[in-house]
Amino acid sequence: MPVSTRVAVATLAVLALGAGVARGETRVTYKSAKAGTSYYLMGVQLAEAMKAGTKGQVIITVEESQGSVQNVKEAAARSGNYVFTTPPGLVASALAGKKPFEPKDAKLDRIRALFPIPSLTMHYVVREDAGVKSFADLAGKAMVIGKGSFGAREAVANFKAFGIDGKVKVIDIELSGAGAAVKNKQVDGFVTASSWPAPNVVEVAAGTKVRVLSMSDDQVAQTKRTKIVIPKGTYPGIDADIVTTSLPVVAYTLADMDDATAYQLTKTFWEGRAAMAKANPWWAGVTTDMLAAMSGKLHPGALRYYTEAKVAVPDKLR
């Protein structure tokens, strides 16, 4: 089933959760990403897992968003059970009143962390017949990078770091059409930032021979990001490990959320993570070690769960 169809079906399932809400249920808004992306699909999966894990006591409504910056900014105007996803670096900037959150909004001081979700992982996908085997070979090639996305900004920064800035024909359009453009040989490849396995990479690799570029250790260091290895066999026809970079992503809420709800969300997430990973491999990479990358403070309800579960919590989060 195509990703778009799976998302549509899953979205209808989540909407159905809102029908006939009984007394005693807790309703949570989960601000995710653009519909059709892996992070929107994760939100749908999380909603289903929360319903199952709490026996219907927690109902999550997934809202589409235009990205992580919007999610953080919108937190200033929200209250109650608002959960949103964003890289922790943006929360650190919001709390400090730095770009793109100038001037500082004191209402953002209410942001509290719950748990990590799969990291944003950079994918540089090229047609096998394009003759691209390294980043240097991208010179003169046409690459879709995704208009206004984190992946687009990261790709431009990395092209500059790798010495190919201005040499790559950057196609700054939405990623939704990138797969078809690659299959029709209108472009040589595309860049996407998504948790692996990325649905759009799986789809294009299933019908077209592609290569996902690997970085050298020096290139990883130049990006100043976290190194991650995507195992061989993750994508059709890719029989070698892929070395690339990632950016942590965290589910945050507000201090307005009551402790019992924050506790229930955090506990249900971790207790249901293994089951989610069996159905959707990207959840397998989420571990409690990822708490070290969080910014801000944990919600007291979440901290209660980690304390009970004997999870090591960095002092900066307390």
Side-chain angles (χ1 to χ4, degrees):
M1 184 186 296
V3 171
S4 58
T5 303
R6 292 203 306 270
V7 171
V9 172
T11 302
L12 288 175
V14 171
L15 291 175
L17 297 181
V21 176
R23 291 182 181 178
E25 291 178 347
T26 300
R27 306 191 72 167
V28 175
T29 297
Y30 185 93
K31 195 76 172 181
S32 179
K34 292 181 181 179
T37 64
S38 59
Y39 279 91
Y40 187 87
L41 185 55
M42 284 176 208
V44 174
Q45 294 164 356
L46 192 58
E48 294 169 341
M50 286 294 171
K51 184 194 177 188
T54 64
K55 297 182 180 179
Q57 291 182 359
V58 174
I59 302 297
I60 291 181
T61 299
V62 182
E63 285 188 0
E64 183 180 9
S65 86
Q66 297 306 305
S68 298
V69 172
Q70 181 200 15
N71 291 356
V72 178
K73 287 185 175 180
E74 194 166 319
R78 294 283 188 137
S79 61
N81 297 334
Y82 175 64
V83 175
F84 63 97
T85 61
T86 189
L90 285 181
V91 168
S93 295
L95 296 177
K98 296 180 179 178
K99 291 183 179 180
F101 305 103
E102 293 179 321
K104 177 177 169 58
D105 189 333
K107 292 181 180 179
L108 295 180
D109 288 339
R110 298 176 299 141
I111 292 174
R112 298 292 183 271
L114 291 174
F115 47 80
I117 65 174
S119 299
L120 278 166
T121 302
M122 293 297 295
H123 293 70
Y124 297 83
V125 185
V126 293
R127 293 196 331 268
E128 191 174 79
D129 62 8
V132 177
K133 296 182 179 180
S134 68
F135 283 91
D137 295 334
L138 287 177
K141 303 299 182 181
M143 297 286 288
V144 175
I145 63 172
K147 187 175 182 180
S149 66
F150 163 79
R153 295 190 297 272
E154 192 76 353
V156 170
N158 288 346
F159 291 160
K160 184 175 182 179
F162 300 164
I164 53 175
D165 182 38
K167 299 178 182 179
V168 182
K169 298 176 182 177
V170 173
I171 312 298
D172 191 15
I173 62 173
E174 296 285 350
L175 279 173
S176 57
V182 168
K183 291 178 182 179
N184 296 329
K185 298 187 177 182
Q186 295 171 306
V187 298
D188 298 292
F190 65 93
V191 181
T192 184
S194 175
S195 293
W196 60 270
N200 54 350
V201 179
V202 171
E203 285 192 4
V204 72
T208 305
K209 289 186 177 180
V210 298
R211 177 179 288 111
V212 182
L213 299 182
S214 271
M215 295 183 186
S216 66
D217 287 343
D218 285 344
Q219 287 173 328
V220 171
Q222 287 176 315
T223 69
K224 299 180 181 179
R225 299 294 190 191
T226 302
K227 177 180 177 179
I228 193 169
V229 178
I230 303 173
K232 60 183 179 181
T234 296
Y235 299 111
I238 308 296
D239 56 3
D241 289 347
I242 303 162
V243 178
T244 185
T245 58
S246 67
L247 182 71
V249 182
V250 173
Y252 285 93
T253 188
L254 303 172
D256 307 43
M257 178 180 284
D258 65 82
D259 290 2
T261 299
Y263 172 82
Q264 190 173 38
L265 287 171
T266 307
K267 177 181 173 67
T268 304
F269 169 77
W270 287 110
E271 292 184 347
R273 187 199 60 82
M276 286 195 293
K278 287 182 180 179
N280 303 279
W282 48 44
W283 295 105
V286 180
T287 69
T288 54
D289 290 342
M290 296 167 74
L291 267 65
M294 287 183 177
S295 295
K297 301 294 183 181
L298 281 169
H299 192 289
L303 180 58
R304 174 190 159 197
Y305 167 75
Y306 292 120
T307 301
E308 289 181 358
K310 294 180 170 50
V311 173
V313 175
D315 289 339
K316 67 176 183 177
L317 299 180
R318 294 181 180 274

